[in-house]
Amino acid sequence: MKYLLDRTDEQILVELKANARISHAELSAKVNLSRNAVRVRIERLEREGFIKGYTIVTGDGGSSQHVTTALIFVYRHDRMRGSDVIQALRKIPEVVACDVMTGDFDLLVRVESPEADRIRQIWQLIAEMPGVRDTLTAFALSSVIRK
């Protein structure tokens, strides 16, 4: 059975994305868990494949890296048997979230990349996936609430 993320797991992932070098003590204070509970959750997230590795992002030491964010609304041919699309999305590293929606759209996919052209490539890849009927893409110009 695949492990489902809860709100605390998602918060841990957000904090690790912002600062992968954060100590377990500092992270535990941010998510209101003990250091040991944070360590156990991180190990489980690694084991379940939600954390696939750690990387080094270099910069000039002072400037922040610009990230382009796109929201891609996806219509699938068959909502009930369209899990292949979700499985394919999991393999794209720039896909940071995928929510199953009610209403007109089937999926809301959040994509982040420092290169706008990479967003276009991912949109094209998603649009051409078997099972995808149509897409609609919106770019986020800035994030107004950061926690």
Side-chain angles (χ1 to χ4, degrees):
M1 184 172 114
K2 187 72 175 166
Y3 177 77
L4 297 176
L5 295 178
D6 64 14
R7 191 171 182 84
T8 303
D9 291 329
E10 290 173 355
Q11 193 175 1
I12 288 171
L13 291 173
V14 166
E15 294 297 334
L16 287 172
K17 282 181 185 178
N19 178 8
R21 296 181 61 189
I22 190 170
S23 70
H24 286 173
E26 188 178 348
L27 184 54
S28 68
K30 290 185 178 226
V31 299
N32 296 320
L33 290 176
S34 70
R35 283 184 296 202
N36 189 50
V38 165
R39 181 189 55 77
V40 167
R41 281 181 180 251
I42 289 172
E43 288 173 355
R44 186 184 64 239
L45 290 168
E46 290 171 343
R47 191 173 52 251
E48 293 290 329
F50 291 101
I51 298 174
K52 292 188 178 185
Y54 299 88
T55 187
I56 297 172
V57 178
T58 59
D60 62 8
S63 67
S64 62
Q65 184 178 15
H66 172 72
V67 174
T68 301
T69 301
L71 302 174
I72 302 174
F73 297 90
V74 178
Y75 297 93
R76 294 179 290 178
H77 287 293
D78 187 341
R79 283 184 166 185
M80 301 309 289
R81 290 185 286 270
S83 64
D84 292 349
V85 174
I86 295 171
Q87 293 302 326
L89 292 170
R90 284 192 171 122
K91 296 176 182 172
I92 303 171
E94 293 88 352
V95 172
V96 297
C98 177
D99 297 308
V100 177
M101 307 291 289
T102 60
D104 292 337
F105 299 101
D106 297 322
L107 303 173
L108 172 58
V109 180
R110 183 182 176 105
V111 179
E112 294 181 356
S113 174
E115 301 171 22
D117 192 55
R118 178 65 180 144
I119 300 279
R120 183 192 56 74
Q121 292 170 355
I122 293 167
W123 163 78
Q124 236 175 347
L125 181 68
I126 293 171
E128 294 170 357
M129 285 180 182
V132 171
R133 183 175 41 129
D134 199 5
T135 63
L136 175 70
T137 303
F139 283 87
L141 301 177
S142 65
S143 182
V144 294
I145 299 175
R146 269 290 202 227
K147 291 185 179 183

